[in-house]
């Protein structure tokens, strides 16, 4: 079986590494020449190709930003793809992708979002176990072809992923809470410390807790801007929910309602019982 | 040399474990009988004692909450301690401790704050390498005795810690940014997710980023309430600084100033260059 991976960064590159044993040949496509060279050198793909080469692919993975995915789907809809080919996209939001996918290839598409990643990006960041034991959300499978869903699930099982089926709308709302808002919060922590006169002194005290809370602020601004843009409404809702809890805490501290604050924290402790 | 550890939780227990080779005998003191039993069983200390036993101690470690430390110092000031004995406290804020330490034992005290910890507490949470390679902040050493500072540094070097000397006031302000505010933020994230109707569904999507951002919300509410109480003003200042960055981000998202948002994130990326 031939696989084409569009986008050879952290997500696409790691997919290539992990799926070496699954495919007979993996073709990599990336407009960035440095990425092409790195991906070949690091053995993430077997060869570098172009969109034309995707006509021979059984599986096409789109591991690029959301707008890029939608452009690629439009492009693919005009190519003579193999009839039963499977197209997987790894977009971080799903509603616009399932809505804007051209009708003639909608059955080919299995819209997926791997809940995996690191704060690093590019082919150099690719790791073979990125997907291992992680959740793969698959959206609106009722609009995908049966063969394609079967093939996609087979690949996700091969990667030892846990498959969760979800509505695209619901996914986007959840992703705002679980990922997009926490990114904004982490960047806000980083920027608030950087604004302090004694920032260098402050960070000498950084221990594990602060490192965790500021890790997401290492993320790629260009990529995240696009994700925030796609999920604006849900993101704002989740920031609002967060802000309202923060305000509660601040008011309790200001008014020295220490017992109430303790109760509020005890409630927070419950999260890890459902996680 | 004899060491007495008051408080056999994560901090005191880990200190006992790590300093086995440094002291001839370690006496543990804790009002919680379960903690006493656990500490003995886990080998964190050699024996369990009372405050009276601290008269024979060369080194006394106060690994209890801040108000407890101040009470203990008052108690110790009335005991017949060894003349050159060293008292170390591990309080999370330092100004009230150095200010309220009784004069007759001020030279004995070396006010310290290990920038180490986990989200767990109690003797069962103790680990031998908790302090290894971590920062130990030591405050207002000009008011400590020379012998005592020498001894304390010798112990911290034995633990392979990095010693940072700092003014207590400055420490408390820095600790608010690096630790106390991030705890409030993490609890706010946890509570905002728990408030959602579909919270169970939401957390099925949790990946590494969310786990990091919500880890501090596992912390002990009782203990943290006391820390927040002691550092109220600095904590409110740091929350204010954070809120102002969050507001900036929210406004940019609302008004679709995506390029500005990207710049703001790029600034946040800088944090890890100074860390």
């Amino acid at each position: 079986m031939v696989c084409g991976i569009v986008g050879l960064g952290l997500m696409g590159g790691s997919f290539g590494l992990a799926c070496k044993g699954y495919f007979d040949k993996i073709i990599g496509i990336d407009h960035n020449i440095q990425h092409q060279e790195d991906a070949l050198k690091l053995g993430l793909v077997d060869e570098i190709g172009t969109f034309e080469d995707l006509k021979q692919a059984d599986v096409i993975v789109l591991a690029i930003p959301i707008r890029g995915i939608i452009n690629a789907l439009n492009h693919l809809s005009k190519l003579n793809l193999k009839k039963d080919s499977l197209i997987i996209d790894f977009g971080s939001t799903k509603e616009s992708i399932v809505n804007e996918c051209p009708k003639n290839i909608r059955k080919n598409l299995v819209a997926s979002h791997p809940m995996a990643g690191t704060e690093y990006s590019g082919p150099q960041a690719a790791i073979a176990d990125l997907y291992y034991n992680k959740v793969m959300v698959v959206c609106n499978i009722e609009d995908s072809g049966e063969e394609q869903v079967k093939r996609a699930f087979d690949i996700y099982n091969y990667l030892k992923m846990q498959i969760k089926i979800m509505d695209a709308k619901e996914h986007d709302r959840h992703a705002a809470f679980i990922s997009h808002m926490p990114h904004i919060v982490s960047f806000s922590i980083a920027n608030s410390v950087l604004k302090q006169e004694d920032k260098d002194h402050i960070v000498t005290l950084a221990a594990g807790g602060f490192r965790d809370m500021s890790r997401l602020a290492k993320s790629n601004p260009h990529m995240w801007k696009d994700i925030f843009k796609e999920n604006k409404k849900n993101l704002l809702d989740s920031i609002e929910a967060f802000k309202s809890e923060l305000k509660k805490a601040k008011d309790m501290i200001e008014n020295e309602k220490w017992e109430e604050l303790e109760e509020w924290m005890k409630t927070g402790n419950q999260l890890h019982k459902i996680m």
Side-chain angles (χ1 to χ4, degrees), chain A:
Chain A
M1 226 183 323
V2 173
C3 174
I5 303 177
V6 183
L8 302 173
L10 168 69
M11 305 306 287
S14 297
F15 183 87
L17 266 183
C19 286
K20 291 213 142 199
Y22 191 91
F23 296 108
D24 300 311
K25 185 165 81 174
I26 301 179
I27 306 169
I29 296 165
D30 199 304
H31 58 73
N32 180 323
I33 291 172
Q34 186 64 52
H35 281 193
Q36 294 176 6
E37 284 172 12
D38 288 348
L40 270 183
K41 204 159 45 191
L42 295 163
L44 312 180
V45 296
D46 297 310
E47 55 188 67
I48 297 297
T50 68
F51 258 74
E52 281 297 309
D53 296 309
L54 295 175
K55 290 192 213 162
Q56 54 166 302
D58 303 283
V59 177
I60 298 168
V61 178
L62 305 176
I64 47 179
I66 303 145
R67 283 296 127 191
I69 290 170
I70 292 168
N71 289 340
L73 289 172
N74 281 311
H75 194 151
L76 292 174
S77 75
K78 288 164 206 146
L79 284 182
N80 231 338
L81 296 181
K82 280 193 178 183
K83 191 178 153 287
D84 282 334
S85 67
L86 160 65
I87 306 173
I88 290 168
D89 84 277
F90 281 174
S92 305
T93 65
K94 305 263 56 113
E95 211 188 347
S96 50
I97 289 170
V98 296
N99 286 347
E100 298 182 39
C101 178
K103 288 224 167 59
N104 70 320
I105 55 165
R106 180 62 191 91
K107 278 199 175 315
N108 302 83
L109 178 70
V110 175
S112 307
H113 183 200
M115 301 314 293
T118 72
E119 64 274 37
Y120 305 110
S121 51
Q124 306 274 0
I127 44 178
D129 65 350
L130 182 69
Y131 299 106
Y132 180 78
N133 206 18
K134 301 288 164 51
V135 168
M136 180 69 97
V137 182
V138 186
C139 293
N140 298 23
I141 51 167
E142 61 281 7
D143 300 325
S144 305
E146 213 174 298
E147 279 309 304
Q148 282 81 357
V149 170
K150 219 173 118 188
R151 167 67 58 207
F153 282 20
D154 193 55
I155 296 172
Y156 304 157
N157 284 327
Y158 178 81
L159 292 171
K160 302 265 184 293
M161 298 188 77
Q162 305 163 39
I163 299 168
K164 307 260 178 206
I165 297 168
M166 210 173 267
D167 174 71
K169 219 182 173 77
E170 191 187 7
H171 164 277
D172 287 4
R173 185 179 145 75
H174 294 358
F177 273 93
I178 223 75
S179 166
H180 308 169
M181 173 270 279
H183 272 81
I184 289 291
V185 167
S186 187
F187 276 110
S188 298
I189 290 182
N191 275 324
S192 69
V193 168
L194 287 168
K195 281 280 165 61
Q196 305 309 306
E197 241 178 65
D198 38 8
K199 59 178 187 291
D200 295 290
H201 253 157
I202 292 178
V203 297
T204 59
L205 301 197
F210 186 76
R211 283 180 201 283
D212 280 356
M213 296 296 288
S214 63
R215 185 174 68 84
L216 294 182
K218 287 186 191 175
S219 304
N220 183 319
H222 185 69
M223 200 184 92
W224 279 93
K225 172 196 70 180
D226 285 342
I227 297 173
F228 298 151
K229 212 164 161 175
E230 288 298 325
N231 208 18
K232 180 184 166 185
K233 196 193 155 305
N234 289 315
L235 175 59
L236 286 172
D237 285 352
S238 60
I239 291 177
E240 211 44 66
F242 167 79
K243 265 186 65 187
S244 123
E245 293 301 320
L246 183 70
K247 186 184 177 326
K248 245 184 255 175
K250 192 183 152 252
D251 290 348
M252 290 185 280
I253 297 163
E254 225 151 29
N255 301 312
E256 310 200 343
K257 307 233 182 223
W258 305 117
E259 303 314 314
E260 274 179 45
L261 186 69
E262 187 174 340
E263 286 309 311
W264 178 82
M265 287 191 274
K266 278 185 189 158
T267 308
N269 282 165
Q270 302 300 313
L271 176 72
H272 294 88
K273 294 194 176 148
I274 63 167
M275 246 165 86

